[in-house]
Amino acid sequence: DALDNRVYRFSRDGRYLGELGYGAGSDTAQFKQPRDAKVDKDGNIVIADGDNYRIQIFDPHGKFLRMYGKKGTEPGDMLRVHAIEFGKDNKLYAVDVDNSRVMVFDPRGKLLHYWGKAGKGAGEFQDPHGLAADANGDIFVSNYWGSIQKFTGDGQYLFEFAVPEKDQFTHARSEERRVGKECRS
């Protein structure tokens, strides 16, 4: 719940399991505009904590494990991480709207590489919001103002689609279809 700065957990059948973390704020395990949540291959819950400029990780039972990221424009810094997705080898891809880039992290939070910049050309972004990966390891980035672009997992631009008409926008966002492990706190 980005507006209430909270992350809620539910079972596969919709049973409420509790709240993750300690609600609104900037301290460890608190959230400010959480934007996306994914479950890694080990069942850990990974949160894009947008306006706290970081990624937070919790174990399958909701216990805080670690976080990484800080406000800024340098490689690995974040201004508004909006969407996250796991690619091959459990690499975490994170799209940063205000830095107009995709960052790739290892499972411990080390920045491996990044790509992108603001613009309207091939491989450039106009407020990137959505992120998805396919079975081949390719990455899809949707721009709030512009097309959806496809890249290889290492950031090589492949092509674009869903190109909007002049003075219109296309906004697409992936929906998680994988089911994570059910855990009780």
Side-chain angles (χ1 to χ4, degrees):
D1 185 343
L3 296 178
D4 199 25
N5 300 300
R6 299 185 183 282
V7 177
Y8 302 104
R9 297 173 55 221
F10 294 88
S11 68
R12 290 182 200 184
D13 61 356
R15 224 171 352 103
Y16 178 70
L17 298 175
E19 190 173 327
L20 196 64
Y22 303 113
S26 298
D27 288 336
T28 300
Q30 289 186 313
F31 304 104
K32 188 174 179 186
Q33 294 285 307
R35 299 292 182 161
D36 202 359
K38 295 287 191 293
V39 177
D40 73 11
K41 67 179 181 66
D42 297 323
N44 296 317
I45 305 158
V46 181
I47 310 293
D49 192 5
D51 288 355
N52 274 330
Y53 323 107
R54 64 189 179 194
I55 305 286
Q56 295 199 64
I57 299 102
F58 296 80
D59 77 8
H61 304 287
K63 179 184 172 196
F64 174 80
L65 294 175
R66 65 187 170 282
M67 65 184 165
Y68 54 90
K70 66 180 178 62
K71 184 178 183 177
T73 58
E74 295 299 314
D77 291 352
M78 302 173 193
L79 288 178
R80 188 166 35 124
V81 63
H82 201 279
I84 54 177
E85 180 67 85
F86 286 99
K88 288 188 171 185
D89 303 323
N90 212 31
K91 292 177 184 171
L92 180 71
Y93 291 79
V95 68
D96 187 325
V97 175
D98 296 327
N99 277 323
S100 294
R101 66 180 171 212
V102 175
M103 298 172 288
V104 185
F105 298 95
D106 75 6
R108 298 296 303 165
K110 177 184 174 195
L111 179 68
L112 300 172
H113 59 94
Y114 65 95
W115 73 85
K117 65 179 185 174
K120 295 181 179 182
E124 297 175 341
F125 301 120
Q126 296 179 73
D127 293 338
H129 272 61
L131 195 59
D134 67 14
N136 297 322
D138 292 332
I139 302 297
F140 297 82
V141 179
S142 68
N143 291 284
Y144 194 83
W145 304 103
S147 64
I148 299 172
Q149 299 178 51
K150 183 176 181 179
F151 298 86
T152 63
D154 62 1
Q156 179 185 355
Y157 174 81
L158 297 173
F159 61 86
E160 71 178 347
F161 61 98
V163 179
E165 298 290 324
K166 185 178 190 266
D167 299 326
Q168 293 181 339
F169 68 93
T170 299
H171 178 61
R173 179 153 177 160
S174 70
E175 293 297 325
E176 185 64 32
R177 297 292 182 218
R178 289 175 274 167
V179 177
K181 298 176 185 175
E182 177 181 325
C183 300
R184 293 187 174 98
S185 309

